[in-house]
Amino acid sequence: MSPQSSALASRRPQRRDAAQNRGRILAAAHEVFAEQGLSVTLDNIAHHAGVGVGTIYRNYPNKDTLLAEVMADITHTAIATAQEALTFPDAWEGLRHFLHETVGLQARHRALREIMFSPDKLGAAGHAQAQELTAVLQSLTERGHAQGKVRADITHQDLRVLHLMLSALLERSAGQPELWIRYAELFLEAVSVRPPPRPLPPAPGEEDVARLLAWNPAKENPA
C-alpha cells in the first residue's frame, strides 16, 4: 500500500466516527430539547449523547447553531406533513391531518412550544423555512376553499395563530395531554362547511379550568 493510500485508509475511520458523533449529538439534542426545552446546556446534551462537550464544539460552535439544526429538522417534518395533507382527496380531512400531526408534535416537544414565543431564535435560515411552510399552508387552505370544504374567510394565517394558541394551552395543561384535541376539533368544525360535527373530547371540569388559570411559568421553570 502506498503512503497516500495508507493515509486515506487512516482518515476513513475518523470521518466515519465524526459522522457517527454528529448523528449521536443531533439525536440527543432532539430528545433533550423535547424533554427540557430551551434552557438545556451543551453539557446536558453531551451527557445524553455519551460524548464530551468538546466533541459538540467540534461540530457546532454554540447551542444556538445546534438548536437551529434541530428546528430545521422539525420544520422539514411539518412541511412534509403539509405536503402529505395536500394529497388527501378531501381537503378538510387533509387540514385535519396536518393540524393533528403538527400540534401533536408540539405536545411532545417542549422547545418547539417555547420557540413559538421566541421566533428570533430561529435565525435567517429558520425564517426561510418558516416561509416555505407558510406557502404550503396557503395551498392547503386554498384547496379547501376550491372544494367548498373550508370557509372562504379562513386563511393560512389562522392556522399559524391557532398553533400559537394551542402552544399556550399545551404549556398550561401538562397534566391533561389530550386537552388540546378538544380545541383543535372545535376550530376544525368552525372552519368547516361540511356536516355533521364529530363528537368532541370531554370538556375540562371546574378543577381543570382552575388549574389552567392558576398556571405560573415561573413555578414551572424555576431559574
Side-chain angles (χ1 to χ4, degrees), residues 126-209:
H127 283 295
Q129 290 172 323
Q131 289 176 346
E132 183 182 353
L133 175 59
T134 298
V136 185
L137 290 183
Q138 186 170 0
S139 298
L140 198 58
T141 52
E142 289 175 350
R143 186 166 178 261
H145 298 158
Q147 287 189 6
K149 297 294 180 68
V150 175
R151 286 175 48 155
D153 55 355
I154 294 299
T155 75
H156 63 286
Q157 303 292 13
D158 289 313
L159 297 181
R160 297 178 67 191
V161 173
L162 179 66
H163 276 84
L164 191 65
M165 293 164 61
L166 292 177
S167 281
L169 175 61
L170 286 164
E171 282 298 298
R172 287 174 173 255
S173 59
Q176 300 163 273
E178 295 187 354
L179 185 61
W180 67 268
I181 297 175
R182 177 181 175 84
Y183 296 98
E185 289 292 335
L186 276 172
F187 171 84
L188 287 163
E189 295 299 343
V191 307
S192 172
V193 290
R194 56 187 291 285
R198 302 180 184 209
L200 290 170
E206 286 288 338
E207 292 183 1
D208 299 325
V209 173

Side-chain angles (χ1 to χ4, degrees), residues 25-147:
I25 290 164
L26 187 57
H30 270 282
E31 292 173 4
V32 178
F33 278 125
E35 182 180 345
Q36 300 180 36
L38 298 178
S39 64
V40 301
T41 66
L42 289 180
D43 284 326
N44 299 143
I45 295 169
H47 177 75
H48 194 73
V51 301
V53 73
T55 302
I56 293 185
Y57 280 115
R58 282 193 290 274
N59 288 274
Y60 300 94
N62 50 52
K63 186 176 86 170
D64 285 346
T65 306
L66 179 52
L67 174 64
E69 188 161 343
V70 169
M71 290 301 148
D73 285 350
I74 291 173
T75 305
H76 283 310
T77 298
I79 292 170
T81 301
Q83 290 171 335
E84 180 186 15
L86 286 171
T87 69
F88 278 54
D90 184 309
W92 186 88
E93 289 290 352
L95 181 62
R96 184 174 186 272
H97 171 76
F98 170 79
L99 189 61
H100 274 263
E101 289 296 314
T102 52
V103 181
L105 179 58
Q106 285 176 237
R108 300 187 298 273
H109 205 293
R110 183 171 176 177
L112 176 58
R113 297 195 302 272
E114 292 176 357
I115 213 163
M116 297 283 289
F117 303 100
S118 303
D120 55 301
K121 294 184 179 292
L122 287 174
H127 283 295
Q129 290 172 323
Q131 289 176 346
E132 183 182 353
L133 175 59
T134 298
V136 185
L137 290 183
Q138 186 170 0
S139 298
L140 198 58
T141 52
E142 289 175 350
R143 186 166 178 261
H145 298 158
Q147 287 189 6

